[in-house]
């Protein structure tokens, strides 16, 4: 089993929960490594979105307020800064600023872009895990450095009452 | 109180109801009993009353830092609202029983409202989403993204722009520039030959 196989297994586990929806770019159409990890998931559970990272983050919050568990996917961690406003000012704070009346729970899946054998450029392979851990007060941030951690981490994210950001490492995808 | 109770009142009675509440909050504010920002709504009664005639029980309201009238017209009790304001939460009035959500980030609630509307569409329910923004929010990029996406996806959402011409004290249209900004854009269509990156053939390293 490779790292990627474990990611696929984790996505299948999430998809068995009827509340789960996968949203982002390349969830239903090929375009990034993400598409290949969702191949066994029924298209009815996918919402292919245009590039609008902040709106995507907000939509995920809205879907969670309606009872869904959105898995909001950003294929490269660099792109998450464009969603940061919604994550910092809303997802991280809504529970507190509504006195616990609204409790959005979103699973965010992102990847540190691979650097080898093909270098994608400075804006496509950054790892901001440490910064994110400092940035969020109420969102768990989990970096998936070992393949055996992947399924349990996604399972925990699904069970948790909190939102979770899970960070995959593209350079490990083919490792056994 | 329900939204139907509100709708059963005459327009004159509702204007009176809103303004009396606003005046009471103003008194408290001036006496120093509220120690956080309060954004008063006076002058915005009539349009809102007309719009809320179309809001139904179960609908979602997304509002801003200036939410008192929206809350009252949604049927949220005045004493509960007053208490929240007294507890310095005027810019964060949230009430899940009334599907009432606010954000004090300009344009911040827009995509959240769109997400709720997406959820309503997915479950094929009859709820509707109403989102209220100011005129500066309506000029932001994310406003246009949300309006365009919602329209093309036929989502059950109505965007309401409350245009008082000012963002804090910045004249919205003057700061954006009043002239038509379309002339500096060139747009053309083409068909790509290769995929997004690479040339459609695997390269072995």
């Amino acid at each position: 089993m490779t790292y990627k196989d474990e990611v696929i297994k984790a996505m299948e586990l999430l998809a068995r929960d009827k509340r789960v929806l996968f949203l982002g770019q390349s969830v239903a159409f090929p375009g990034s490594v993400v598409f290949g990890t969702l191949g066994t998931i029924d298209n009815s559970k996918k919402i292919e979105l245009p590039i609008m990272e902040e709106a995507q983050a907000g939509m995920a919050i809205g879907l969670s307020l309606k009872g869904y568990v959105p898995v909001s996917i950003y294929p490269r961690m660099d792109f998450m800064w464009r969603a940061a406003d919604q994550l910092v000012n809303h997802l991280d704070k809504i529970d507190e600023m509504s006195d616990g009346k609204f409790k959005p729970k979103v699973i965010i899946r992102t990847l540190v872009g691979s650097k080898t054998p093909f270098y994608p450029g400075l804006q496509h392979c950054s790892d901001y895990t440490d910064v994110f851990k400092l940035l969020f007060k109420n969102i768990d941030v989990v970096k998936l450095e070992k393949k055996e951690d992947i399924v349990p981490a996604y399972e925990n994210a699904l069970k948790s009452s909190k939102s979770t950001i899970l960070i995959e490492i593209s350079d490990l995808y083919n490792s056994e | 109180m329900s939204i139907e109770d509100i709708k059963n009142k005459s327009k004159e009675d509702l204007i009176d109801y809103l303004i009396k509440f606003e005046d009471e909050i103003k008194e408290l504010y001036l006496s120093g009993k509220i120690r956080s920002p309060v954004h008063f709504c006076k002058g915005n009664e009539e349009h809102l009353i007309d719009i809320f005639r179309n809001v139904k029980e179960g609908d979602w309201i997304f509002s801003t830092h200036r939410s008192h009238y929206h809350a009252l017209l949604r049927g949220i009790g005045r004493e509960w609202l007053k208490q929240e304001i007294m507890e310095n939460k005027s810019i964060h009035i949230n009430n899940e029983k009334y599907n009432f959500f606010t954000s004090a980030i300009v344009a911040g609630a827009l995509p959240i409202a769109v997400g709720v509307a997406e959820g309503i569409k997915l479950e094929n329910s009859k709820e509707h989403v109403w989102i209220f923004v100011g005129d500066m929010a309506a000029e932001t990029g994310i406003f246009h993204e949300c309006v365009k996406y919602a329209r093309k996806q036929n989502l059950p959402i109505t965007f309401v722009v409350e245009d008082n011409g000012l963002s804090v004290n910045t004249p919205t249209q003057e700061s954006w520039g009043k002239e038509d900004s379309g002339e500096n854009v060139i747009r053309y269509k083409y068909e790509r030959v290769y995929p997004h990156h690479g040339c459609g053939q695997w390269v072995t390293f």
Side-chain angles (χ1 to χ4, degrees):
Chain A
M1 293 282 275
T2 63
Y3 187 100
K4 182 183 176 185
D5 292 330
E6 295 290 340
V7 173
I8 292 170
K9 206 158 72 171
M11 295 304 108
E12 290 170 345
L13 181 148
L14 294 179
R16 284 197 284 275
D17 188 311
K18 66 179 181 181
R19 303 168 301 161
V20 165
L21 291 169
F22 299 87
L23 57 152
Q25 195 187 28
S26 301
V27 297
F29 293 89
S32 76
V33 67
V34 167
F35 178 76
T37 64
L38 298 173
T40 57
I41 311 296
D42 194 275
N43 270 346
S44 65
K45 292 189 81 70
K46 302 175 187 173
I47 301 175
E48 179 82 9
L49 290 178
I51 293 180
M52 48 177 194
E53 291 89 350
E54 185 193 347
Q56 176 181 326
M59 282 180 67
I61 296 169
L63 282 163
S64 77
L65 295 182
K66 279 298 293 170
Y68 292 93
V69 178
V71 181
S72 179
I73 304 175
Y74 298 93
R76 296 181 190 274
M77 204 170 187
D78 312 75
F79 306 161
M80 285 192 64
W81 290 110
R82 309 209 67 182
D85 175 36
Q86 284 295 326
L87 303 180
V88 171
N89 283 315
H90 292 102
L91 187 60
D92 198 40
K93 294 187 173 65
I94 286 174
D95 187 346
E96 207 170 328
M97 74 188 199
S98 71
D99 292 331
K101 297 184 189 94
F102 290 113
K103 290 176 173 293
K105 178 255 186 56
V106 175
I107 296 174
I108 296 161
R109 182 183 160 203
T110 191
L111 295 85
V112 178
S114 59
K115 296 183 183 67
T116 59
F118 196 64
Y119 177 62
L122 272 180
Q123 296 168 318
H124 283 64
C125 58
S126 304
D127 180 352
Y128 295 108
T129 304
D130 293 340
V131 183
F132 276 28
K133 283 184 176 173
L134 289 172
L135 194 59
F136 300 112
K137 184 176 162 190
N138 296 307
I139 303 172
D140 288 330
V141 178
V142 181
K143 188 173 180 181
L144 301 169
E145 298 187 87
K146 296 179 191 162
K147 66 175 187 175
E148 54 269 27
D149 294 340
I150 294 169
V151 172
Y154 276 106
E155 199 169 14
N156 285 341
L158 186 60
K159 286 178 184 166
S160 173
S161 59
K162 293 170 70 178
S163 293
T164 310
I165 298 173
L166 297 111
I167 301 150
E168 300 167 15
I169 303 164
S170 297
D171 268 330
L172 298 178
Y173 253 51
N174 294 319
S175 62
E176 296 281 346
Chain B
M1 200 182 296
S2 73
I3 188 78
E4 296 308 320
D5 296 328
I6 292 291
K7 285 186 193 175
N8 286 336
K9 291 179 186 284
S10 70
K11 192 168 193 176
E12 292 70 28
D13 283 350
L14 282 175
I15 291 173
D16 187 54
Y17 178 61
L18 296 175
I19 290 177
K20 276 188 176 153
F21 181 83
E22 178 117 316
D23 287 346
E24 192 177 331
I25 299 301
K26 184 181 163 190
E27 287 296 315
L28 291 166
Y29 184 76
L30 290 174
S31 68
K33 290 179 180 163
I34 302 170
R35 297 199 168 211
S36 69
V38 173
H39 300 76
F40 291 101
C41 313
K42 206 163 189 175
N44 194 15
E45 295 84 13
E46 293 203 33
H47 290 293
L48 286 180
I49 289 168
D50 291 342
I51 287 165
F52 272 84
R53 296 279 186 213
N54 296 307
V55 174
K56 296 184 176 62
E57 205 67 56
D59 283 358
W60 287 71
I61 305 294
F62 284 84
S63 179
T64 65
H65 47 279
R66 194 187 310 279
S67 70
H68 300 172
Y69 278 5
H70 303 147
L72 293 171
L73 291 171
R74 178 65 184 82
I76 291 176
R78 73 189 306 288
E79 290 310 312
W80 181 88
L81 180 59
K82 181 178 154 187
Q83 186 59 35
E84 291 289 294
I85 296 165
M86 293 293 288
E87 291 173 13
N88 300 328
K89 296 183 211 160
S90 173
I91 66 167
H92 292 315
I93 301 299
N94 289 287
N95 192 315
E96 86 288 3
K97 289 178 191 153
Y98 290 83
N99 291 342
F100 190 89
F101 180 96
T102 66
S103 172
I105 300 292
V106 170
L110 279 158
I112 302 174
V114 171
V116 169
E118 181 98 41
I120 291 169
K121 184 185 173 188
L122 284 170
E123 61 194 26
N124 205 20
S125 65
K126 295 199 184 310
E127 298 158 34
H128 192 84
V129 177
W130 301 82
I131 169 133
F132 296 83
V133 297
D135 41 291
M136 186 62 93
E139 296 288 347
T140 61
I142 197 158
F143 176 84
H144 292 284
E145 288 177 6
C146 289
V147 168
K148 183 165 63 174
Y149 181 84
R151 188 176 64 240
K152 289 183 175 182
Q153 298 288 343
N154 198 24
L155 300 185
I157 183 170
T158 301
F159 299 84
V160 182
V161 181
E162 302 174 331
D163 184 355
N164 62 12
L166 294 172
S167 170
V168 189
N169 293 314
T170 303
T172 302
Q173 293 307 318
E174 280 185 38
S175 60
W176 268 99
K178 285 180 179 172
E179 75 276 11
D180 177 25
S181 58
E183 289 176 7
N184 58 354
V185 177
I186 296 173
R187 183 177 184 131
Y188 62 91
K189 292 180 183 292
Y190 80 106
E191 286 187 22
R192 71 183 188 189
V193 175
Y194 294 118
H196 170 60
H197 74 87
C199 56
Q201 293 174 31
W202 288 108
V203 179
T204 308
F205 295 100

